[in-house]
Coordinates of all heavy atoms in Angstrom, one line a residue:
M15 N 42.9 18.6 3.7 CA 42.1 17.5 4.2 C 40.6 17.7 3.9 O 40.0 18.7 4.3 CB 42.3 17.3 5.7 CG 43.1 16.1 6.2 SD 42.7 14.6 5.4 CE 43.5 13.5 6.5
L16 N 40.0 16.7 3.3 CA 38.6 16.7 3.1 C 37.8 16.3 4.3 O 38.1 15.2 4.8 CB 38.2 15.8 1.9 CG 36.8 15.8 1.5 CD1 36.4 17.2 0.9 CD2 36.5 14.8 0.4
H17 N 36.9 17.1 4.8 CA 36.2 16.7 6.0 C 34.7 16.6 5.7 O 34.1 17.5 5.2 CB 36.4 17.7 7.1 CG 35.7 17.3 8.4 ND1 36.1 16.3 9.2 CD2 34.5 17.7 8.9 CE1 35.3 16.2 10.2 NE2 34.3 17.0 10.0
V18 N 34.2 15.4 5.8 CA 32.7 15.2 5.5 C 32.0 14.9 6.8 O 32.4 14.1 7.6 CB 32.6 14.0 4.6 CG1 31.1 13.8 4.3 CG2 33.3 14.2 3.3
S19 N 31.0 15.7 7.1 CA 30.2 15.5 8.3 C 28.8 14.9 7.9 O 28.1 15.5 7.0 CB 30.1 16.7 9.1 OG 28.8 17.1 9.3
I20 N 28.4 13.8 8.5 CA 27.2 13.2 8.1 C 26.2 13.4 9.3 O 26.5 13.1 10.4 CB 27.4 11.7 7.9 CG1 28.4 11.5 6.6 CG2 26.1 11.0 7.6 CD1 28.9 10.2 6.5
T21 N 25.0 13.9 8.9 CA 24.0 14.1 9.9 C 23.0 12.9 9.8 O 22.4 12.7 8.8 CB 23.3 15.4 9.6 OG1 24.2 16.4 9.6 CG2 22.3 15.7 10.8
T22 N 22.8 12.3 10.9 CA 21.8 11.2 10.9 C 20.5 11.5 11.6 O 19.6 10.7 11.7 CB 22.4 9.9 11.5 OG1 23.0 10.3 12.8 CG2 23.5 9.3 10.6
A23 N 20.5 12.7 12.2 CA 19.3 13.0 13.1 C 18.0 13.3 12.3 O 17.0 13.3 13.0 CB 19.7 14.2 14.0
Q24 N 18.1 13.5 11.0 CA 16.9 13.9 10.4 C 16.2 12.8 9.5 O 15.5 13.1 8.6 CB 17.3 15.1 9.4 CG 17.8 16.3 10.2 CD 18.3 17.4 9.3 OE1 18.7 17.1 8.2 NE2 18.2 18.6 9.8
Q25 N 16.4 11.6 9.9 CA 15.9 10.5 9.0 C 14.5 10.2 9.2 O 13.9 9.6 8.3 CB 16.8 9.3 9.3 CG 18.1 9.4 8.5 CD 19.0 8.2 8.8 OE1 18.7 7.4 9.6 NE2 20.0 8.1 8.0
A26 N 13.9 10.5 10.3 CA 12.5 10.2 10.5 C 11.6 11.0 9.5 O 11.7 12.2 9.5 CB 12.0 10.5 11.9
P27 N 10.8 10.3 8.7 CA 10.0 11.0 7.7 C 9.0 11.9 8.4 O 8.4 11.5 9.4 CB 9.3 9.9 6.9 CG 9.6 8.6 7.6 CD 10.6 8.9 8.7
A28 N 8.8 13.1 7.8 CA 7.8 14.0 8.4 C 6.4 13.5 8.3 O 6.1 12.8 7.3 CB 7.9 15.3 7.7
G29 N 5.6 13.8 9.3 CA 4.2 13.4 9.2 C 3.9 11.9 9.2 O 3.0 11.4 8.6
Q30 N 4.8 11.2 9.9 CA 4.7 9.7 9.9 C 3.4 9.2 10.6 O 2.9 8.2 10.3 CB 5.9 9.1 10.6 CG 6.2 7.7 10.2 CD 7.4 7.2 10.9 OE1 7.7 7.6 11.9 NE2 8.1 6.2 10.2
D31 N 2.9 10.1 11.5 CA 1.7 9.6 12.2 C 0.4 10.0 11.5 O -0.7 9.6 11.8 CB 1.6 10.3 13.6 CG 1.8 11.8 13.6 OD1 2.2 12.3 12.5 OD2 1.6 12.4 14.6
K32 N 0.5 10.7 10.4 CA -0.6 11.0 9.6 C -1.1 9.8 8.8 O -0.2 9.1 8.2 CB -0.2 12.2 8.6 CG -1.4 12.8 7.9 CD -1.0 14.0 7.1 CE -2.0 14.3 6.0 NZ -1.6 13.8 4.7
L33 N -2.4 9.6 8.7 CA -2.9 8.5 7.9 C -3.1 9.0 6.5 O -3.9 9.9 6.2 CB -4.2 8.0 8.5 CG -4.1 7.4 9.8 CD1 -5.5 7.1 10.4 CD2 -3.4 6.1 9.7
D34 N -2.4 8.4 5.6 CA -2.5 8.8 4.2 C -2.4 7.5 3.3 O -1.4 7.0 3.1 CB -1.4 9.7 3.9 CG -1.4 10.2 2.4 OD1 -2.2 9.6 1.6 OD2 -0.7 11.1 2.1
G35 N -3.6 7.0 2.9 CA -3.7 5.8 2.2 C -2.8 5.8 0.9 O -2.2 4.8 0.6
E36 N -2.8 7.0 0.3 CA -2.0 7.0 -1.0 C -0.5 6.8 -0.7 O 0.2 6.1 -1.5 CB -2.2 8.4 -1.7 CG -1.5 8.4 -3.0 CD -1.9 9.7 -3.8 OE1 -2.6 10.5 -3.3 OE2 -1.4 9.8 -5.0
T37 N 0.0 7.4 0.3 CA 1.4 7.3 0.7 C 1.7 5.9 1.2 O 2.7 5.2 0.8 CB 1.8 8.3 1.8 OG1 1.5 9.6 1.3 CG2 3.3 8.2 2.1
L38 N 0.8 5.3 2.0 CA 1.0 4.0 2.5 C 1.0 3.0 1.3 O 1.9 2.1 1.2 CB -0.2 3.6 3.4 CG -0.3 4.3 4.7 CD1 -1.5 3.9 5.5 CD2 1.0 4.2 5.5
F39 N 0.1 3.2 0.3 CA 0.0 2.3 -0.8 C 1.3 2.5 -1.7 O 1.9 1.5 -2.1 CB -1.2 2.7 -1.7 CG -1.5 1.6 -2.7 CD1 -2.4 0.6 -2.5 CD2 -0.8 1.7 -3.9 CE1 -2.6 -0.4 -3.5 CE2 -1.0 0.7 -4.9 CZ -1.9 -0.3 -4.7
A40 N 1.7 3.7 -1.9 CA 2.9 3.9 -2.7 C 4.1 3.3 -2.2 O 4.9 2.7 -2.9 CB 3.1 5.4 -2.9
T41 N 4.3 3.3 -0.8 CA 5.5 2.8 -0.3 C 5.4 1.3 -0.1 O 6.5 0.6 -0.3 CB 5.8 3.4 1.1 OG1 4.6 3.4 1.9 CG2 6.4 4.8 1.0
T42 N 4.3 0.7 0.1 CA 4.3 -0.8 0.4 C 3.6 -1.6 -0.7 O 3.9 -2.8 -0.8 CB 3.5 -1.1 1.7 OG1 2.8 0.1 2.1 CG2 4.4 -1.6 2.8
C43 N 2.7 -1.1 -1.4 CA 2.0 -1.9 -2.4 C 2.4 -1.6 -3.8 O 2.3 -2.4 -4.7 CB 0.5 -1.7 -2.2 SG 0.0 -1.4 -0.5
G44 N 2.8 -0.4 -4.0 CA 3.0 0.1 -5.4 C 4.0 -0.6 -6.2 O 4.0 -0.6 -7.5
W45 N 5.0 -1.2 -5.6 CA 6.0 -1.9 -6.4 C 5.5 -3.2 -7.0 O 6.1 -3.8 -7.8 CB 7.3 -2.1 -5.7 CG 7.2 -2.7 -4.3 CD1 6.8 -2.1 -3.2 CD2 7.6 -4.0 -3.9 NE1 6.8 -2.9 -2.1 CE2 7.4 -4.1 -2.5 CE3 8.2 -5.1 -4.6 CZ2 7.6 -5.3 -1.8 CZ3 8.5 -6.3 -3.8 CH2 8.2 -6.3 -2.5
C46 N 4.3 -3.7 -6.6 CA 3.7 -4.9 -7.2 C 2.4 -4.5 -7.9 O 2.1 -5.0 -8.9 CB 3.4 -5.9 -6.1 SG 4.9 -6.8 -5.5
H47 N 1.7 -3.6 -7.3 CA 0.4 -3.1 -7.9 C 0.7 -1.8 -8.6 O 0.7 -0.8 -8.0 CB -0.7 -3.0 -6.9 CG -1.0 -4.3 -6.2 ND1 -1.8 -5.3 -6.8 CD2 -0.6 -4.9 -5.1 CE1 -1.9 -6.3 -6.0 NE2 -1.1 -6.1 -4.9
A48 N 1.0 -1.9 -9.9 CA 1.6 -0.8 -10.6 C 0.8 0.4 -10.8 O -0.5 0.3 -10.7 CB 2.1 -1.3 -12.0
D49 N 1.4 1.6 -11.0 CA 0.7 2.8 -11.3 C -0.3 3.1 -10.2 O -1.4 3.5 -10.5 CB 0.1 2.8 -12.7 CG -0.3 4.3 -13.1 OD1 0.1 5.2 -12.4 OD2 -1.1 4.4 -14.0
G50 N 0.1 2.9 -9.0 CA -0.8 3.2 -7.8 C -2.0 2.3 -7.7 O -3.0 2.6 -7.1
G51 N -1.9 1.1 -8.3 CA -3.0 0.2 -8.3 C -3.9 0.2 -9.5 O -4.8 -0.5 -9.6
R52 N -3.5 1.1 -10.4 CA -4.3 1.3 -11.6 C -4.0 0.3 -12.7 O -4.7 0.1 -13.7 CB -4.2 2.7 -12.2 CG -4.8 3.8 -11.3 CD -4.4 5.2 -11.8 NE -4.7 6.2 -10.9 CZ -3.8 6.6 -9.9 NH1 -2.7 6.0 -9.8 NH2 -4.1 7.5 -9.1
E53 N -2.8 -0.3 -12.6 CA -2.3 -1.3 -13.6 C -1.9 -2.5 -13.0 O -1.5 -2.6 -11.8 CB -1.1 -0.7 -14.4 CG -1.3 0.7 -15.0 CD -1.8 0.6 -16.4 OE1 -1.9 -0.5 -16.9 OE2 -2.2 1.7 -16.9
A54 N -1.9 -3.6 -13.8 CA -1.4 -4.9 -13.3 C 0.2 -4.8 -13.4 O 0.7 -4.3 -14.3 CB -1.9 -6.0 -14.1
G55 N 0.8 -5.3 -12.3 CA 2.3 -5.4 -12.3 C 2.6 -6.8 -11.9 O 2.1 -7.7 -12.5
K56 N 3.4 -6.9 -10.8 CA 3.5 -8.3 -10.3 C 2.2 -8.8 -9.7 O 1.9 -9.9 -9.7 CB 4.6 -8.2 -9.1 CG 6.0 -8.5 -9.5 CD 6.9 -8.3 -8.4 CE 6.9 -9.4 -7.3 NZ 8.1 -10.2 -7.4
G57 N 1.4 -7.8 -9.2 CA 0.1 -8.1 -8.7 C -1.0 -7.6 -9.6 O -0.6 -6.8 -10.5
P58 N -2.2 -8.0 -9.4 CA -3.3 -7.5 -10.3 C -3.6 -6.0 -10.1 O -3.3 -5.4 -9.1 CB -4.5 -8.4 -9.9 CG -4.2 -8.8 -8.5 CD -2.7 -8.9 -8.4
K59 N -4.3 -5.5 -11.1 CA -4.9 -4.1 -11.0 C -5.9 -4.1 -9.9 O -6.7 -5.1 -9.7 CB -5.5 -3.8 -12.3 CG -6.1 -2.4 -12.4 CD -6.7 -2.2 -13.7 CE -8.2 -2.3 -13.7 NZ -8.9 -2.0 -15.0
L60 N -5.9 -3.0 -9.1 CA -6.9 -3.0 -8.0 C -8.0 -1.9 -8.2 O -9.0 -2.0 -7.6 CB -6.1 -2.6 -6.7 CG -5.1 -3.7 -6.3 CD1 -4.3 -3.2 -5.1 CD2 -5.7 -5.0 -6.1
A61 N -7.8 -1.0 -9.2 CA -8.8 0.0 -9.5 C -10.1 -0.8 -9.9 O -10.0 -1.8 -10.6 CB -8.3 0.9 -10.6
N62 N -11.2 -0.3 -9.5 CA -12.5 -0.9 -9.8 C -12.6 -2.3 -9.4 O -13.3 -3.1 -10.0 CB -12.8 -0.9 -11.4 CG -12.9 0.6 -11.9 OD1 -13.2 1.5 -11.1 ND2 -12.7 0.7 -13.1
S63 N -12.0 -2.7 -8.3 CA -12.0 -4.0 -7.8 C -13.5 -4.4 -7.4 O -14.2 -3.6 -6.8 CB -11.1 -4.2 -6.5 OG -11.3 -5.5 -6.0
Q64 N -13.9 -5.6 -7.7 CA -15.2 -6.1 -7.3 C -15.2 -6.7 -5.9 O -16.2 -7.2 -5.4 CB -15.8 -7.1 -8.3 CG -15.8 -6.5 -9.7 CD -16.7 -5.3 -9.9 OE1 -17.9 -5.4 -9.5 NE2 -16.2 -4.2 -10.3
R65 N -14.0 -6.8 -5.3 CA -13.9 -7.5 -4.0 C -14.5 -6.6 -2.9 O -14.6 -5.4 -3.1 CB -12.4 -7.6 -3.7 CG -11.6 -8.4 -4.7 CD -12.0 -9.8 -4.7 NE -11.0 -10.6 -5.5 CZ -11.1 -11.9 -5.7 NH1 -12.1 -12.6 -5.2 NH2 -10.2 -12.6 -6.4
T66 N -15.0 -7.3 -1.9 CA -15.5 -6.5 -0.7 C -14.4 -5.9 0.1 O -13.2 -6.4 0.0 CB -16.3 -7.5 0.2 OG1 -15.4 -8.5 0.7 CG2 -17.4 -8.2 -0.6
D67 N -14.7 -4.9 0.9 CA -13.8 -4.3 1.8 C -13.1 -5.4 2.7 O -12.0 -5.3 3.0 CB -14.4 -3.2 2.6 CG -14.7 -2.0 1.9 OD1 -14.5 -1.9 0.6 OD2 -15.2 -1.0 2.5
D68 N -14.0 -6.3 3.1 CA -13.5 -7.3 4.0 C -12.5 -8.2 3.4 O -11.5 -8.6 3.9 CB -14.7 -8.1 4.5 CG -14.3 -9.0 5.7 OD1 -13.7 -8.4 6.7 OD2 -14.5 -10.2 5.6
F69 N -12.8 -8.6 2.1 CA -11.8 -9.4 1.4 C -10.5 -8.7 1.3 O -9.4 -9.2 1.5 CB -12.3 -9.7 0.0 CG -11.3 -10.5 -0.9 CD1 -11.4 -11.8 -1.0 CD2 -10.3 -9.8 -1.6 CE1 -10.5 -12.6 -1.8 CE2 -9.4 -10.5 -2.4 CZ -9.5 -11.9 -2.5
I70 N -10.5 -7.4 0.9 CA -9.3 -6.6 0.7 C -8.5 -6.5 2.1 O -7.3 -6.7 2.1 CB -9.6 -5.2 0.1 CG1 -10.1 -5.4 -1.3 CG2 -8.3 -4.4 0.1 CD1 -10.6 -4.1 -2.0
A71 N -9.3 -6.2 3.1 CA -8.7 -6.1 4.5 C -8.0 -7.4 4.9 O -6.8 -7.4 5.4 CB -9.7 -5.7 5.5
Q72 N -8.7 -8.5 4.6 CA -8.1 -9.8 5.0 C -6.8 -10.1 4.1 O -5.8 -10.6 4.6 CB -9.1 -10.9 4.7 CG -10.3 -10.9 5.7 CD -9.8 -10.9 7.2 OE1 -9.0 -11.7 7.6 NE2 -10.4 -10.0 8.0
R73 N -6.9 -9.7 2.8 CA -5.7 -9.9 2.0 C -4.5 -9.1 2.4 O -3.4 -9.6 2.4 CB -6.1 -9.6 0.5 CG -4.9 -9.7 -0.5 CD -4.3 -11.1 -0.5 NE -5.2 -12.1 -0.9 CZ -5.4 -12.5 -2.1 NH1 -4.8 -11.9 -3.1 NH2 -6.2 -13.5 -2.4
I74 N -4.8 -7.9 2.8 CA -3.7 -7.0 3.3 C -3.1 -7.6 4.6 O -1.9 -7.7 4.7 CB -4.2 -5.6 3.5 CG1 -4.6 -4.9 2.2 CG2 -3.1 -4.8 4.2 CD1 -5.3 -3.6 2.3
K75 N -4.0 -8.1 5.5 CA -3.5 -8.6 6.8 C -2.7 -9.9 6.6 O -1.7 -10.1 7.2 CB -4.7 -8.9 7.7 CG -5.1 -7.6 8.4 CD -6.2 -8.0 9.4 CE -6.9 -6.7 9.9 NZ -8.0 -7.0 10.8
H76 N -3.3 -10.8 5.7 CA -2.7 -12.1 5.7 C -1.9 -12.4 4.5 O -1.2 -13.5 4.4 CB -3.8 -13.2 5.8 CG -4.6 -13.0 7.1 ND1 -4.1 -13.1 8.4 CD2 -5.9 -12.6 7.3 CE1 -5.0 -12.9 9.3 NE2 -6.1 -12.5 8.7
G77 N -2.0 -11.6 3.4 CA -1.3 -11.8 2.2 C -1.8 -13.1 1.5 O -2.8 -13.6 1.8
K78 N -0.9 -13.5 0.6 CA -1.3 -14.8 -0.1 C 0.0 -15.5 -0.3 O 1.0 -15.0 -0.9 CB -2.0 -14.5 -1.4 CG -2.4 -15.8 -2.1 CD -3.4 -15.7 -3.1 CE -3.7 -17.0 -3.8 NZ -4.7 -16.9 -4.8
E79 N 0.1 -16.8 0.2 CA 1.3 -17.5 0.2 C 1.9 -17.6 -1.2 O 1.2 -17.9 -2.2 CB 1.1 -18.9 0.7 CG 2.3 -19.4 1.5 CD 2.1 -20.8 2.0 OE1 0.9 -21.1 2.3 OE2 3.1 -21.5 2.1
G80 N 3.2 -17.3 -1.3 CA 3.8 -17.4 -2.6 C 3.5 -16.2 -3.6 O 4.1 -16.2 -4.7
A81 N 2.6 -15.3 -3.2 CA 2.2 -14.2 -4.1 C 2.4 -12.9 -3.5 O 3.0 -12.0 -4.1 CB 0.8 -14.5 -4.6
M82 N 1.8 -12.7 -2.3 CA 1.8 -11.4 -1.7 C 2.1 -11.5 -0.2 O 1.6 -12.3 0.5 CB 0.4 -10.8 -1.9 CG 0.2 -9.4 -1.3 SD -1.4 -8.7 -1.8 CE -1.7 -7.8 -0.3
P83 N 3.0 -10.6 0.3 CA 3.3 -10.6 1.7 C 2.2 -10.2 2.6 O 1.3 -9.5 2.1 CB 4.5 -9.6 1.8 CG 4.7 -9.0 0.5 CD 3.7 -9.5 -0.5
A84 N 2.2 -10.6 3.8 CA 1.2 -10.2 4.8 C 1.6 -8.9 5.5 O 2.8 -8.7 5.8 CB 1.0 -11.3 5.8
F85 N 0.6 -8.0 5.6 CA 1.0 -6.7 6.3 C 0.3 -6.5 7.6 O 0.2 -5.4 8.1 CB 0.6 -5.5 5.3 CG 1.5 -5.6 4.0 CD1 1.0 -6.1 2.9 CD2 2.8 -5.0 4.1 CE1 1.8 -6.2 1.7 CE2 3.6 -5.0 2.9 CZ 3.1 -5.6 1.8
G86 N -0.3 -7.6 8.2 CA -1.0 -7.5 9.4 C -0.1 -7.0 10.6 O -0.6 -6.4 11.5
G87 N 1.2 -7.2 10.5 CA 2.1 -6.8 11.5 C 2.7 -5.4 11.2 O 3.3 -4.8 12.0
T88 N 2.4 -4.9 10.0 CA 2.9 -3.6 9.6 C 1.8 -2.5 9.8 O 2.1 -1.4 10.3 CB 3.2 -3.6 8.1 OG1 4.1 -4.7 7.8 CG2 3.9 -2.3 7.7
Y89 N 0.6 -2.8 9.5 CA -0.5 -1.8 9.5 C -1.6 -2.2 10.5 O -2.0 -3.4 10.6 CB -1.1 -1.7 8.1 CG -0.1 -1.1 7.1 CD1 0.0 -1.6 5.9 CD2 0.6 0.0 7.5 CE1 0.9 -1.0 4.9 CE2 1.5 0.6 6.6 CZ 1.6 0.1 5.3 OH 2.5 0.6 4.4
N90 N -2.1 -1.2 11.2 CA -3.2 -1.5 12.1 C -4.5 -1.3 11.3 O -4.5 -0.9 10.1 CB -3.2 -0.5 13.3 CG -3.2 0.9 12.9 OD1 -3.8 1.3 11.9 ND2 -2.6 1.8 13.7
D91 N -5.6 -1.6 11.9 CA -6.9 -1.5 11.2 C -7.2 -0.2 10.6 O -7.8 -0.1 9.5 CB -8.1 -1.9 12.1 CG -8.0 -3.4 12.5 OD1 -7.3 -4.2 11.8 OD2 -8.7 -3.8 13.4
E92 N -6.8 0.9 11.3 CA -7.1 2.2 10.8 C -6.3 2.5 9.5 O -6.8 3.0 8.5 CB -6.6 3.3 11.8 CG -7.8 3.9 12.5 CD -7.2 4.9 13.5 OE1 -6.4 4.5 14.4 OE2 -7.4 6.1 13.3
Q93 N -5.1 2.0 9.5 CA -4.2 2.2 8.3 C -4.7 1.4 7.1 O -4.8 1.9 6.0 CB -2.8 1.9 8.6 CG -2.1 2.9 9.6 CD -0.8 2.4 10.1 OE1 -0.6 1.3 10.5 NE2 0.2 3.3 10.0
I94 N -5.2 0.2 7.4 CA -5.7 -0.7 6.4 C -7.0 -0.1 5.8 O -7.2 -0.1 4.6 CB -6.0 -2.1 6.9 CG1 -4.6 -2.8 7.2 CG2 -6.8 -2.9 6.0 CD1 -4.7 -4.1 7.9
A95 N -7.8 0.5 6.7 CA -9.0 1.2 6.2 C -8.7 2.4 5.3 O -9.4 2.6 4.3 CB -9.8 1.7 7.4
E96 N -7.6 3.1 5.6 CA -7.2 4.2 4.7 C -6.7 3.7 3.4 O -7.0 4.3 2.3 CB -6.0 5.0 5.4 CG -6.5 6.0 6.4 CD -7.5 7.0 5.8 OE1 -7.3 7.5 4.7 OE2 -8.5 7.2 6.5
I97 N -6.0 2.6 3.4 CA -5.5 2.0 2.1 C -6.7 1.6 1.3 O -6.8 1.8 0.1 CB -4.6 0.8 2.4 CG1 -3.3 1.3 3.0 CG2 -4.3 0.1 1.1 CD1 -2.4 0.2 3.5
I98 N -7.7 1.0 1.9 CA -8.9 0.5 1.2 C -9.6 1.8 0.6 O -10.1 1.8 -0.5 CB -9.8 -0.3 2.1 CG1 -9.1 -1.6 2.4 CG2 -11.2 -0.6 1.3 CD1 -9.9 -2.5 3.4
R99 N -9.7 2.8 1.4 CA -10.4 4.0 1.0 C -9.6 4.6 -0.3 O -10.3 5.0 -1.3 CB -10.3 5.1 2.1 CG -11.4 6.2 1.9 CD -11.1 7.4 2.7 NE -10.8 7.1 4.1 CZ -11.6 7.0 5.1 NH1 -12.9 7.3 4.9 NH2 -11.3 6.8 6.3
Y100 N -8.3 4.5 -0.2 CA -7.5 4.9 -1.4 C -7.8 4.1 -2.6 O -8.1 4.6 -3.7 CB -6.0 4.9 -1.1 CG -5.1 4.9 -2.3 CD1 -4.9 6.1 -3.0 CD2 -4.6 3.7 -2.8 CE1 -4.1 6.1 -4.1 CE2 -3.8 3.8 -3.9 CZ -3.6 5.0 -4.6 OH -2.8 5.0 -5.7
I101 N -7.9 2.8 -2.4 CA -8.2 1.9 -3.6 C -9.5 2.2 -4.2 O -9.7 2.2 -5.4 CB -8.1 0.4 -3.1 CG1 -6.6 0.0 -2.8 CG2 -8.6 -0.6 -4.2 CD1 -6.5 -1.4 -2.2
R102 N -10.5 2.4 -3.3 CA -11.9 2.7 -3.8 C -11.9 4.0 -4.5 O -12.8 4.2 -5.4 CB -12.8 2.8 -2.6 CG -13.1 1.5 -1.8 CD -13.6 0.5 -2.7 NE -13.9 -0.8 -2.0 CZ -13.9 -2.0 -2.5 NH1 -13.6 -2.2 -3.8 NH2 -14.2 -3.0 -1.8
G103 N -11.0 4.9 -4.3 CA -11.0 6.2 -4.9 C -10.3 6.2 -6.3 O -10.3 7.2 -7.0
L104 N -9.7 5.1 -6.6 CA -8.9 5.0 -7.9 C -9.8 5.1 -9.0 O -10.9 4.4 -9.1 CB -8.1 3.7 -7.9 CG -6.9 3.6 -7.0 CD1 -6.4 2.1 -7.1 CD2 -5.8 4.6 -7.4
K105 N -9.4 5.8 -10.0 CA -10.2 5.9 -11.3 C -9.4 5.1 -12.3 O -8.3 5.3 -12.6 CB -10.3 7.3 -11.7 CG -11.2 8.2 -10.8 CD -12.6 8.1 -11.2 CE -13.5 9.0 -10.3 NZ -13.4 8.6 -8.9
D106 N -10.1 4.2 -12.9 CA -9.5 3.4 -14.0 C -9.8 4.1 -15.3 O -10.9 3.9 -15.9 CB -10.1 2.0 -14.0 CG -9.6 1.2 -15.1 OD1 -8.6 1.6 -15.7 OD2 -10.2 0.1 -15.4
D107 N -8.9 5.0 -15.7 CA -9.2 5.7 -16.9 C -8.7 5.1 -18.2 O -8.6 5.7 -19.2 CB -8.7 7.2 -16.8 CG -7.4 7.3 -16.1 OD1 -6.6 6.3 -16.2 OD2 -7.1 8.3 -15.5
A108 N -8.4 3.8 -18.0 CA -7.9 3.1 -19.2 C -9.0 2.8 -20.2 O -8.8 2.7 -21.4 CB -7.2 1.8 -18.8
G109 N -10.2 2.6 -19.7 CA -11.2 2.2 -20.6 C -12.4 3.2 -20.5 O -13.4 3.1 -21.1
Ligands
HEC7 C1 5.4 -8.7 -3.5 C2 4.3 -8.1 -4.4 C3 3.1 -7.6 -3.7 C4 3.0 -6.6 -2.8 C5 4.1 -5.8 -2.1 C6 1.6 -6.4 -2.5 N1 0.8 -7.3 -3.3 FE1 -1.2 -7.4 -3.4 N2 -1.0 -9.0 -4.6 C7 0.1 -9.5 -5.2 C8 -0.2 -10.6 -6.0 C9 0.9 -11.4 -6.8 C10 -1.6 -10.8 -6.0 C11 -2.4 -11.9 -6.7 C12 -2.5 -13.0 -5.7 C13 -3.5 -14.1 -6.3 O1 -3.0 -14.9 -7.0 O2 -4.6 -14.0 -5.9 C14 -2.1 -9.8 -5.1 C15 -3.4 -9.6 -4.8 C16 -3.9 -8.5 -4.1 C17 -5.3 -8.3 -3.9 C18 -6.5 -9.2 -4.4 C19 -6.9 -8.7 -5.8 C20 -8.0 -9.6 -6.3 O3 -9.0 -9.1 -6.6 O4 -7.8 -10.8 -6.3 C21 -5.5 -7.1 -3.2 C22 -6.7 -6.4 -2.7 C23 -4.1 -6.7 -2.9 N3 -3.2 -7.5 -3.5 C24 -3.8 -5.5 -2.3 C25 -2.5 -5.1 -1.9 C26 -2.2 -4.1 -1.0 C27 -3.2 -3.1 -0.5 C28 -0.9 -4.1 -0.8 C29 -0.1 -3.2 0.1 C30 -0.5 -3.2 1.5 C31 -0.3 -5.1 -1.6 N4 -1.4 -5.8 -2.2 C32 1.0 -5.5 -1.7 C33 1.4 -9.0 -5.0 C34 1.7 -8.0 -4.0

């Protein structure tokens, strides 16, 4: 008889309370803003954005109808600030 035991207790990702803009971006934004935001995908490239921090924060919170989901219920201000910090740190080495 084959016996398979499944453990479900270890599913919580480690370090979930740590603020890490790169990880937050990779999990929530990266599937539309390609290559970590360095390339256009479903959404535009974010590296070297000329937008203000406030614009980006508002976009993350409220999204854009028909284009980008709102993340105001997902991320608090601190997490959004970390994501913006990550975007500001992106190097656009394409040009
Ligand atoms: C479902 C795909 C999708 C996801 C997920 C997504 N975006 Fe977007 N995003 C878009 C699209 C499409 C646009 C362009 C909207 C428009 O027409 O202005 C956009 C626009 C933006 C802009 C404005 C760019 C500009 O200069 O006009 C920012 C900033 C941005 N996204 C950041 C993020 C961040 C940060 C996340 C993760 C928290 C994220 N996006 C998640 C699709 C997405």
Side-chain angles (χ1 to χ4, degrees):
M15 246 318 193
L16 183 65
H17 181 77
V18 181
S19 122
I20 298 164
T21 308
T22 51
Q24 298 175 334
Q25 280 177 350
Q30 206 179 25
D31 52 347
K32 188 173 160 266
L33 292 173
D34 180 348
E36 184 172 6
T37 303
L38 297 178
F39 192 95
T41 44
T42 11
C43 322
W45 50 288
C46 287
H47 297 279
D49 193 15
R52 294 174 192 83
E53 305 271 351
K56 267 173 77 105
K59 181 179 102 177
L60 299 176
N62 294 340
S63 175
Q64 303 299 305
R65 304 290 193 181
T66 63
D67 286 4
D68 193 52
F69 177 96
I70 296 176
Q72 293 303 313
R73 175 58 59 89
I74 294 171
K75 278 187 196 174
H76 303 295
K78 181 159 177 180
E79 216 182 326
M82 178 173 149
F85 294 96
T88 309
Y89 293 137
N90 60 32
D91 287 347
E92 255 181 297
Q93 290 170 311
I94 289 172
E96 278 305 314
I97 293 172
I98 294 172
R99 202 197 312 267
Y100 163 77
I101 291 171
R102 294 300 184 209
L104 287 174
K105 294 275 184 295
D106 175 17
D107 41 28

